[in-house]
Amino acid sequence: MSIHTFSSRDFTRDVSAAKRATADGPVFITDRGRPAFALLKIDDYFRIAGQTELSLLDIMDGIPAGDGIEFDPPRLNVQISGASFD
């Protein structure tokens, strides 16, 4: 495993190259010459964190109650009648 380093400017110019570089190991993104961020493949992150991949339910449970999506659909007044085959 090797570590790649991208300056913030190089990362901004070619995000795809940084994403491809994660195949070899973590990518450090520097800000003014100092490491500021680390980019990892999600599998590597879960391995380091000791977690399994999150399910959709886990992600939804992580949304705070006050920040949820409000959905109040309008009530439909639909009249259903039988078909006429005259």
Side-chain angles (χ1 to χ4, degrees):
M1 174 169 58
S2 61
I3 297 174
H4 297 278
T5 303
F6 283 73
S7 68
S8 291
R9 180 179 293 207
D10 291 340
F11 176 74
T12 302
R13 287 184 186 159
D14 198 354
V15 173
S16 295
K19 288 169 38 177
R20 283 190 303 270
T22 62
D24 296 331
V27 171
F28 290 160
I29 302 162
T30 61
D31 191 12
R32 294 185 176 96
R34 300 187 66 175
F37 302 95
L39 181 64
L40 304 169
K41 292 187 304 182
I42 195 67
D43 294 334
D44 292 341
Y45 168 77
F46 286 134
R47 183 179 47 77
I48 291 168
Q51 297 178 343
T52 58
E53 188 171 339
L54 296 176
S55 68
L56 179 58
L57 182 58
D58 294 330
I59 294 169
M60 290 175 65
D61 283 343
I63 298 173
D67 294 341
I69 298 171
E70 293 185 26
F71 181 65
D72 188 17
R75 186 166 183 85
L76 297 177
N77 293 319
V78 178
Q79 299 293 327
I80 300 175
S81 61
S84 174
F85 298 104
D86 294 331

